[in-house]
Amino acid sequence: MTVTPDRLTPMANAIRVLSMDAVQAANSGHPGMPMGMADVATVLYSQFLKFDPAAPKWPDRDRFVLSAGHGSMLIYALLHLTGYEAPTMDDIRNFRQLHSPCAGHPENTELPGVECTTGPLGQGLAMAVGMAMAERHLNAVHGDDLVNHRTWVIAGDGCLMEGVNHEAVGLAGTLKLGQLNVLWDDNAITIDGDTALSTCEDIPARYAASGWHVTRCDGHDFADIARALAEAAADPRPSLVACKTVIGQGAPNKAGSHSVHGSPLGADEVAAARAALGWTAAPFEVPADILADWRSLGAKGAAERAAWEARLAASPNRAAFEAGQQGLKGKAVPALKDYIDGLISSPQKVATRKASEMALGPLTEQLPALIGGSADLTGSNLTKTKATATFSADDYTGRHVHYGIREFGMAAAMNGMALHGGLVPYGGTFLVFADYCRNAIRMSAIQHAQVVYVLTHDSIGLGEDGPTHQPIEHVMSLRAIPNLLVFRPADVVETAECWALALEAEGTPSALALSRQNLPQLREQGGMLSAKGGYRLKAAEAARQVVLVATGSEVEIALASAKALEAEGIGADVVSMPCTELFDAQDAAYRADLLPAGVLKVSIEAGVTLGWQKYVGDGLTIGIDRFGSSAPADQLYDYFGLTADKIVPQIKARLGR
Amino acid sequence: MTVTPDRLTPMANAIRVLSMDAVQAANSGHPGMPMGMADVATVLYSQFLKFDPAAPKWPDRDRFVLSAGHGSMLIYALLHLTGYEAPTMDDIRNFRQLHSPCAGHPENTELPGVECTTGPLGQGLAMAVGMAMAERHLNAVHGDDLVNHRTWVIAGDGCLMEGVNHEAVGLAGTLKLGQLNVLWDDNAITIDGDTALSTCEDIPARYAASGWHVTRCDGHDFADIARALAEAAADPRPSLVACKTVIGQGAPNKAGSHSVHGSPLGADEVAAARAALGWTAAPFEVPADILADWRSLGAKGAAERAAWEARLAASPNRAAFEAGQQGLKGKAVPALKDYIDGLISSPQKVATRKASEMALGPLTEQLPALIGGSADLTGSNLTKTKATATFSADDYTGRHVHYGIREFGMAAAMNGMALHGGLVPYGGTFLVFADYCRNAIRMSAIQHAQVVYVLTHDSIGLGEDGPTHQPIEHVMSLRAIPNLLVFRPADVVETAECWALALEAEGTPSALALSRQNLPQLREQGGMLSAKGGYRLKAAEAARQVVLVATGSEVEIALASAKALEAEGIGADVVSMPCTELFDAQDAAYRADLLPAGVLKVSIEAGVTLGWQKYVGDGLTIGIDRFGSSAPADQLYDYFGLTADKIVPQIKARLGR
């Protein structure tokens, strides 16, 4: 360590004072956690965390995740004090104000040094599991010289009570992620009051039952904290360190109470805390000697980073390592070219989930940064390829993860892997269970994390499993999430194109909605037509009176409907629309050419019609606005009116024919 | 017991054979679980479960929940064999076919005796927790004579691995739900293969860490099963019984393997199983002696039910008990009349979350069937009223639950309470965390479970907590779920009306999206105008050129915009639309009167615009199609263009003014 023990108290108090002052100035925020965990954080940053404020993206840095994201002032204080370029003191002064990078909850898109966006409880820890998985995989591939770092988490009781925590803990224990250490802010307080109001859980016993190492410390005793963190770092299992703390420590009257959790202390208590801590500096001023101690910590990291740079320069793995860090942009389209050419010459009728597996063949073979998995539906989602062996505690070089029946945990872990860098994760579950991980999908989008969700068994086409398993509202609901590409390909060619587009979309997650049932190949040419989101698959032969817009398994039905209409002299375009978000991004002329005014437009999608009015105006929206049913798929398509026989009369009626 | 031990084997084999035959006939389904758990289920039904096939809705029956819903043939076989009116053998023969009540996964809306719809893993067990809570509450209120029954669950490894299980287990342990007994099908197999592929958890230790009683049995030894179930029934804690079973027991070549989990056995293996079991009857025939043994079990229940009916007839609590069973239809509107009249005479400017608390005052006072709660946000969601004391292990008479930081567990438990009968549950979290419990909300809708979701802190109006906490896409995404009423009231009066409508909607769940910030009272009259979903709040004064349609906090902005337009001679209606689903249910004339053709229609809602085209056609959709930001609410409204100053010019531009 670079500072002496007697200096730790004023260093920790700097965190406390900055936190309470910023929350007070904003008149909004959570002072209790940063004040309670200030001592633990000071020990972590001064003696354990490997970081270099001058190079926040250094690939071999330790990752620090503030899972209890409401305590955001803790990380803002730490980043500023240790000398990161941002946040500045002005940024902190503007905590929770418009355009300040010091948002209410920490956002990775605002500040280097914030490894992931946290606030939705439980997900920070679950993302940290993904970071630790990424670290072990890249370590196994590139060796200790290039990849050997830890993931540290600060989590509160809220994080530990959420269901996703159970999934994350189970995954980490099974995968023996020894480089993962969770510092639990064990203050026995939640928003509602004492934790005993809602839980009687023996948390250490639960973690131990999942293969974790557990230890405890007095979270306000620097030596004891250091002892526990050293123990955690040394143990080959993931570690939980129960840090017994007092919430709001330093606030003489409010410490230890839930009143300090999510509200400013108030001017009187702020003054009393200043007196109790012996802190005489003005708000947003840190005494020079204390700031100097904090800044000195960066020096150690700079030396470590320089040594790492030297090792990288000399490493035989340098090119491979750097290629992995660069992401997939420009790589996916060429990787699929031969495969798509082959489909054009030899068409295939397969389910789009199978088409996904086929596309993943060349992709996983050529792109080692791809790491897949499934939430216990490997044989259904078809996510595992020849090139991807199983990733396990026995072999971290594998690139396919058995996530178990843990959809939310899987999605959060994938976010962590993507944000760690060096990998682009994809993972499968049934589309209907996108509900189970929906907030993690949203968090992919918020965080600009490139994750590909392989969501198979879409709509009623899955058949007999019935309404609980038939996603009716899911595709449209996913489209409502900003910064998420939702693909619903119609055939084997579109599936390959959508995979390529998903992998080219750096900083944007994607969801692929894929069929269980076989679909004929509709495309007779290549050309990455899906890149514009929607395109004219078939032009009207007779004078155009109708434009049919369909996605996925219903494009085939649109073509059959168009054929029937043409037979009666009614010209009909068919537009395939695998991705509405990409279509929306095209210029107005392109969109108007495909969906012209003054022509009847008809959407066909085996899901809710809400939303399709955006594309067909007052035209017809053919879909399913109720829950599905249990029966063979072809019977369901007939029952729900999704056949040309049932659609064509509605179109003719609207045309007055 | 009414059958002798030596008869149990053929009785259990009847389940096995029916299950494998039905799956084989459907060429789809899951034979492994029903065959593996047939022995345990036979002991449960013959010696422990309190049920009367002639009265499937008998309020004091034990509840049986097949949490591992994919093994649906188990419950279909049990219901048929014990003599429920349905399913018939023809229904079973048509397993997984259109219009058969024997759907792929059991559906409570199809068969009395199926207590809840299961299939989405983990939720059956979590609903059972809610059933057990309802039982303890009604027991505390009405006494042992009227309410004293157990809740039994069969759950698989999948149920136990899901995150929601952790939440359910924690809740049940804290609440000491001793009448809840979970029979875990401990077969060490998941879809992907051996459970060791994805978990190393010591499950009994984990349950014990949450205050559960844990015992084990050989799931193929009748005496040992009975011993373990008796132990579970006797213990005052909730119990986990680890039933060591072989998946697909009875299939000589496939038992014990994941190949038997989700696929038909195949004709050869079916024949081999018949031979191994010594079963000579034809498919879908049960030998008369075995059927007679099964049918004899009902007699015991009939006697118990008769005794209960007699106790009810003589009970001083009869009227109160029966009133609770009848639900709230016709009760909520009168309960709120005086309160709403008071608002009309003394308008109030409050947040709609506060308005919700105010409406809950008279509602909880007058309607004892209401039971509330919050996922650790009691003081933010404002769900607790004077009339509702805390529901806890020490006092089950309370009517407000501290669910802890367990949104999914809360929602599933509420489904269980609603389905148990006698209670209408409501529970709060932040609207953004509707994501965490989204599939349970969907399950409320599928199951016709009347649950009210109190979702506060809607949109950017919550301010500083920033994008992770600002629901942008959530209201529209909830609207996409069939059979769910989504309310977004504009003021204190509409909030009361929406509460009344939610409580009147028997068989339909509701979601209330409520503001953190204060909103002025816009309504000057009563009349339950929200009942039509949308209504004209203000009629144009000048010649009408625009109709502004808004919801919630944006109705105030629509009124301000209309005022500015009228000042320039542009007549503008304002339509308040608290519930699009109820508006959609009105006749065409009403809808066309409110949203007439040929007039510019403009939607204003602080959320995604996708979907509003349904109501405004090619008019303007004012909203937010990106993630929010951290800042005070009024600054955000300006930043995102949701002010009259920024909206009016867009309208004028469209009008060519």
Side-chain angles (χ1 to χ4, degrees):
Chain A
M1 65 184 291
T2 53
V3 290
T4 56
D6 61 305
R7 299 299 298 158
L8 293 174
T9 296
M11 288 171 74
N13 286 342
I15 296 174
R16 290 193 170 91
V17 173
L18 273 179
S19 300
M20 71 179 187
D21 284 349
V23 171
Q24 190 65 29
N27 195 27
S28 160
H30 300 74
M33 198 282 268
M35 297 179 79
M37 284 296 277
D39 297 328
V40 173
T42 300
V43 172
L44 174 66
Y45 269 68
S46 63
Q47 300 176 48
F48 291 90
L49 194 76
K50 178 166 75 170
F51 70 104
D52 179 358
K57 295 291 178 193
W58 170 27
D60 201 34
R61 70 193 181 277
D62 280 1
R63 300 321 193 251
F64 170 64
V65 172
L66 186 69
S67 190
H70 52 275
S72 54
M73 267 311 303
L74 180 66
I75 191 164
Y76 300 148
L78 286 164
L79 294 177
H80 177 78
L81 291 168
T82 54
Y84 283 75
E85 192 175 326
T88 64
M89 193 59 93
D90 265 352
D91 293 333
I92 291 177
R93 211 186 296 266
N94 286 309
F95 177 56
R96 292 184 156 233
Q97 306 308 303
L98 198 59
H99 306 308
S100 168
C102 295
H105 293 81
E107 300 176 20
N108 69 307
T109 51
E110 291 290 331
L111 288 171
V114 172
E115 301 288 355
C116 56
T117 296
T118 50
L121 290 177
Q123 286 188 70
L125 197 158
M127 288 191 276
V129 170
M131 293 178 189
M133 290 167 67
E135 191 273 344
R136 280 298 88 187
H137 175 71
L138 295 173
N139 170 275
V141 172
H142 300 295
D144 284 350
D145 273 2
L146 300 190
V147 183
N148 190 9
H149 53 267
R150 299 184 192 284
T151 303
W152 300 90
V153 180
I154 287 183
D157 288 294
C159 287
L160 270 52
M161 213 184 294
E162 288 285 3
V164 66
N165 178 263
H166 174 59
E167 302 182 10
V169 167
L171 195 55
T174 306
L175 295 174
K176 297 193 172 71
L177 301 175
Q179 307 274 81
L180 174 68
N181 300 307
V182 175
L183 315 181
W184 164 34
D185 182 14
D186 180 12
N187 60 27
I189 291 291
T190 73
I191 293 176
D192 271 8
D194 194 282
T195 49
L197 272 178
S198 58
T199 183
C200 66
E201 183 180 318
D202 178 346
I203 289 174
R206 199 238 311 173
Y207 273 71
S210 286
W212 283 56
H213 159 250
V214 179
T215 184
R216 291 177 175 77
C217 70
D218 175 343
H220 301 301
D221 175 332
F222 294 112
D224 200 39
I225 297 166
R227 188 262 320 144
L229 267 57
E231 198 186 298
D235 198 279
R237 295 164 293 177
S239 291
L240 177 76
V241 182
C243 306
K244 199 73 207 167
T245 64
V246 176
I247 192 170
Q249 172 86 342
N253 307 301
K254 292 192 169 180
S257 141
H258 69 126
S259 68
V260 79
H261 173 93
S263 305
L265 296 184
D268 289 353
E269 184 72 357
V270 166
R274 276 196 145 63
L277 298 172
W279 194 271
T280 55
F284 307 109
E285 282 180 18
V286 179
D289 58 328
I290 299 175
L291 188 61
D293 283 339
W294 272 112
R295 293 282 157 94
S296 74
L297 299 177
K300 177 166 144 279
E304 285 181 301
R305 179 169 67 92
W308 179 87
E309 301 278 8
R311 290 199 300 275
L312 177 65
S315 172
N317 291 331
R318 177 180 176 169
F321 180 83
E322 290 180 339
Q325 295 290 312
Q326 280 155 12
L328 298 183
K329 202 157 182 68
K331 297 176 186 168
V333 172
L336 285 172
K337 186 177 180 310
D338 290 351
Y339 164 67
I340 294 177
D341 288 349
L343 293 174
I344 299 305
S345 53
S346 306
Q348 305 253 357
K349 178 177 183 170
V350 294
T352 51
R353 62 176 173 142
K354 180 71 185 171
S356 167
E357 183 189 42
M358 290 158 63
L360 279 170
L363 288 170
T364 53
E365 201 173 306
Q366 296 173 51
L367 307 174
L370 274 179
I371 183 163
S374 168
D376 196 50
L377 291 167
T378 302
S380 300
N381 302 142
L382 300 174
T383 42
K384 195 165 187 303
T385 65
K386 270 191 202 161
T388 54
T390 296
F391 174 89
S392 72
D394 297 329
D395 184 1
Y396 291 126
T397 66
R399 290 198 287 139
H400 189 274
V401 184
H402 287 288
Y403 284 102
I405 301 139
R406 303 183 179 107
E407 298 81 8
F408 200 1
M410 171 178 76
M414 291 199 294
N415 283 337
M417 281 193 264
L419 294 169
H420 177 278
L423 293 173
V424 175
Y426 67 91
T429 185
F430 288 157
L431 174 55
V432 82
F433 297 128
D435 280 357
Y436 273 51
C437 54
R438 184 171 169 91
N439 200 263
I441 299 175
R442 180 178 213 252
M443 291 300 291
S444 305
I446 282 194
Q447 296 180 101
H448 301 183
Q450 189 180 9
V451 171
V452 184
Y453 294 90
V454 181
L455 304 170
T456 69
H457 293 61
D458 90 338
S459 192
I460 54 171
L462 64 87
E464 292 88 345
D465 272 347
T468 55
H469 284 55
Q470 289 163 354
I472 296 302
E473 72 276 23
H474 296 72
V475 169
M476 195 57 76
S477 298
L478 289 169
R479 289 183 185 130
I481 299 178
N483 193 39
L484 174 70
L485 297 176
V486 181
F487 294 100
R488 190 164 184 260
D491 74 352
V492 64
V493 176
E494 276 194 8
T495 305
E497 290 179 342
C498 292
W499 256 114
L501 293 164
L503 297 181
E504 293 288 338
E506 209 168 36
T508 304
S510 296
L512 299 171
L514 302 170
S515 76
R516 172 176 186 263
Q517 74 275 28
N518 286 343
L519 300 176
Q521 182 172 327
L522 307 175
R523 283 278 295 282
E524 296 168 351
Q525 53 174 322
M528 283 298 287
L529 301 181
S530 301
K532 293 193 169 176
Y535 61 93
R536 189 174 292 119
L537 178 64
K538 170 208 168 295
E541 294 155 35
R544 184 173 68 186
Q545 297 182 50
V546 189
V547 175
L548 304 173
V549 190
T551 76
S553 38
E554 286 71 67
V555 177
E556 176 188 5
I557 297 166
L559 284 171
S561 303
K563 191 174 172 190
L565 290 165
E566 298 273 4
E568 304 195 37
I570 302 170
D573 281 1
V574 173
V575 170
S576 180
M577 183 79 89
C579 181
T580 57
E581 294 84 1
L582 290 176
F583 179 74
D584 292 346
Q586 304 308 311
D587 62 34
Y590 182 82
R591 287 181 283 123
D593 178 57
L594 251 66
L595 303 178
V599 174
L600 175 64
K601 294 180 284 291
V602 179
S603 65
I604 311 176
E605 184 171 71
V608 293
T609 56
L610 181 72
W612 275 108
Q613 298 83 6
K614 178 175 177 182
Y615 301 98
V616 304
D618 61 358
L620 279 174
T621 53
I622 310 282
I624 304 175
D625 286 316
R626 43 158 291 192
F627 292 114
S629 194
S630 170
D634 52 350
Q635 291 178 37
L636 290 176
Y637 267 85
D638 183 63
Y639 180 67
F640 285 104
L642 290 162
T643 63
D645 282 353
K646 296 201 168 163
I647 291 169
V648 167
Q650 297 176 64
I651 294 172
K652 286 168 62 184
R654 275 295 286 267
L655 292 172
R657 292 282 294 259
Chain B
M1 64 183 292
T2 52
V3 291
T4 55
D6 62 303
R7 300 298 298 158
L8 294 173
T9 296
M11 288 171 74
N13 285 343
I15 297 173
R16 291 194 169 89
V17 174
L18 274 178
S19 299
M20 73 181 186
D21 285 348
V23 170
Q24 190 65 28
N27 195 27
S28 160
H30 300 74
M33 199 283 268
M35 297 180 77
M37 284 296 277
D39 298 328
V40 173
T42 300
V43 172
L44 174 66
Y45 269 67
S46 62
Q47 299 176 49
F48 291 91
L49 195 75
K50 178 167 74 171
F51 70 105
D52 180 358
K57 294 291 177 193
W58 171 26
D60 200 34
R61 71 193 181 278
D62 280 2
R63 301 318 194 254
F64 170 64
V65 172
L66 186 70
S67 190
H70 53 275
S72 54
M73 266 311 303
L74 180 66
I75 191 162
Y76 300 147
L78 287 164
L79 294 177
H80 177 77
L81 291 168
T82 53
Y84 283 75
E85 193 176 323
T88 65
M89 194 60 93
D90 265 353
D91 293 334
I92 290 177
R93 213 186 296 267
N94 286 309
F95 177 56
R96 292 185 157 234
Q97 305 307 303
L98 199 59
H99 307 309
S100 169
C102 296
H105 293 80
E107 300 177 19
N108 68 307
T109 51
E110 292 290 332
L111 287 172
V114 172
E115 302 288 355
C116 56
T117 296
T118 50
L121 290 178
Q123 285 189 70
L125 197 158
M127 286 191 277
V129 171
M131 292 178 189
M133 290 166 68
E135 191 272 345
R136 280 297 87 186
H137 175 70
L138 295 173
N139 169 275
V141 172
H142 299 296
D144 284 350
D145 273 1
L146 301 190
V147 183
N148 191 10
H149 53 267
R150 300 184 191 285
T151 302
W152 300 89
V153 179
I154 287 184
D157 288 296
C159 288
L160 271 51
M161 214 185 294
E162 288 285 2
V164 67
N165 178 263
H166 173 60
E167 301 184 9
V169 167
L171 195 54
T174 306
L175 295 173
K176 298 193 171 67
L177 301 175
Q179 307 275 82
L180 174 67
N181 300 307
V182 174
L183 316 181
W184 164 35
D185 181 15
D186 180 14
N187 60 26
I189 291 291
T190 73
I191 294 177
D192 271 8
D194 194 281
T195 49
L197 272 177
S198 57
T199 183
C200 67
E201 183 181 317
D202 178 346
I203 289 175
R206 199 238 312 174
Y207 273 71
S210 286
W212 284 55
H213 159 250
V214 179
T215 184
R216 291 177 174 76
C217 70
D218 175 342
H220 301 301
D221 175 332
F222 294 112
D224 200 39
I225 297 166
R227 190 262 319 144
L229 267 56
E231 196 185 300
D235 197 280
R237 295 163 293 177
S239 290
L240 177 75
V241 183
C243 307
K244 198 76 208 166
T245 65
V246 176
I247 192 169
Q249 172 86 340
N253 307 301
K254 293 193 169 180
S257 140
H258 70 126
S259 69
V260 80
H261 172 93
S263 306
L265 297 184
D268 290 351
E269 183 73 356
V270 166
R274 274 195 146 62
L277 298 172
W279 194 270
T280 55
F284 306 109
E285 282 178 18
V286 179
D289 59 328
I290 299 175
L291 188 61
D293 283 339
W294 272 112
R295 292 283 155 95
S296 73
L297 299 177
K300 178 166 146 277
E304 285 181 302
R305 179 170 67 94
W308 181 86
E309 300 278 6
R311 291 199 301 276
L312 178 65
S315 172
N317 291 332
R318 178 179 176 172
F321 180 82
E322 290 181 339
Q325 295 290 313
Q326 281 156 11
L328 298 183
K329 202 157 180 70
K331 298 177 185 167
V333 172
L336 285 172
K337 186 177 179 310
D338 290 352
Y339 164 66
I340 293 178
D341 288 349
L343 293 174
I344 300 304
S345 53
S346 303
Q348 305 252 358
K349 178 176 182 170
V350 294
T352 51
R353 63 178 172 140
K354 179 71 184 172
S356 167
E357 182 190 41
M358 289 159 62
L360 279 169
L363 289 169
T364 53
E365 202 172 305
Q366 295 173 49
L367 307 175
L370 275 178
I371 183 162
S374 167
D376 196 49
L377 291 168
T378 302
S380 300
N381 302 144
L382 301 175
T383 43
K384 196 166 186 302
T385 65
K386 270 189 201 161
T388 54
T390 296
F391 174 90
S392 72
D394 298 328
D395 184 0
Y396 291 126
T397 65
R399 292 198 286 138
H400 189 275
V401 184
H402 287 288
Y403 284 101
I405 300 137
R406 304 183 178 106
E407 298 80 8
F408 199 1
M410 172 178 75
M414 291 199 294
N415 283 336
M417 282 193 263
L419 294 169
H420 176 278
L423 294 173
V424 175
Y426 67 90
T429 185
F430 288 157
L431 174 55
V432 81
F433 297 128
D435 280 356
Y436 273 50
C437 54
R438 184 172 169 89
N439 200 265
I441 299 175
R442 180 177 212 254
M443 292 300 290
S444 305
I446 282 194
Q447 298 181 98
H448 301 183
Q450 189 180 8
V451 170
V452 184
Y453 294 91
V454 181
L455 304 170
T456 70
H457 293 61
D458 89 338
S459 191
I460 53 170
L462 65 86
E464 292 88 344
D465 272 346
T468 55
H469 284 55
Q470 290 165 353
I472 296 301
E473 71 278 22
H474 296 72
V475 169
M476 195 58 76
S477 298
L478 289 169
R479 288 185 186 128
I481 299 178
N483 192 41
L484 174 69
L485 296 176
V486 181
F487 294 100
R488 190 164 184 261
D491 73 353
V492 63
V493 175
E494 276 194 7
T495 304
E497 290 179 343
C498 293
W499 256 114
L501 293 164
L503 297 181
E504 292 289 336
E506 210 168 37
T508 304
S510 296
L512 299 170
L514 302 170
S515 76
R516 173 176 185 263
Q517 74 274 29
N518 286 343
L519 300 176
Q521 182 172 327
L522 307 175
R523 282 279 294 283
E524 296 168 351
Q525 52 173 323
M528 284 298 287
L529 301 181
S530 301
K532 293 194 168 175
Y535 62 92
R536 189 174 291 119
L537 178 65
K538 171 207 168 293
E541 295 156 35
R544 184 173 67 186
Q545 296 183 51
V546 190
V547 175
L548 305 173
V549 190
T551 77
S553 39
E554 287 70 67
V555 177
E556 176 189 4
I557 297 166
L559 284 170
S561 302
K563 189 174 174 190
L565 291 165
E566 298 275 4
E568 303 195 35
I570 301 169
D573 281 0
V574 173
V575 171
S576 180
M577 183 80 89
C579 181
T580 57
E581 294 85 1
L582 291 177
F583 179 74
D584 291 347
Q586 305 307 310
D587 61 34
Y590 181 83
R591 287 182 281 121
D593 178 58
L594 250 66
L595 303 177
V599 174
L600 175 64
K601 292 181 284 294
V602 179
S603 65
I604 312 177
E605 183 172 72
V608 293
T609 56
L610 181 73
W612 275 107
Q613 298 82 7
K614 178 175 177 181
Y615 302 98
V616 305
D618 62 356
L620 280 173
T621 53
I622 310 283
I624 306 175
D625 286 315
R626 45 158 289 194
F627 292 114
S629 192
S630 171
D634 52 349
Q635 291 178 37
L636 290 175
Y637 267 85
D638 182 65
Y639 180 67
F640 285 105
L642 289 163
T643 63
D645 282 352
K646 296 200 169 162
I647 291 170
V648 168
Q650 297 176 64
I651 294 172
K652 286 168 63 185
R654 276 294 285 267
L655 292 171
R657 292 281 294 260

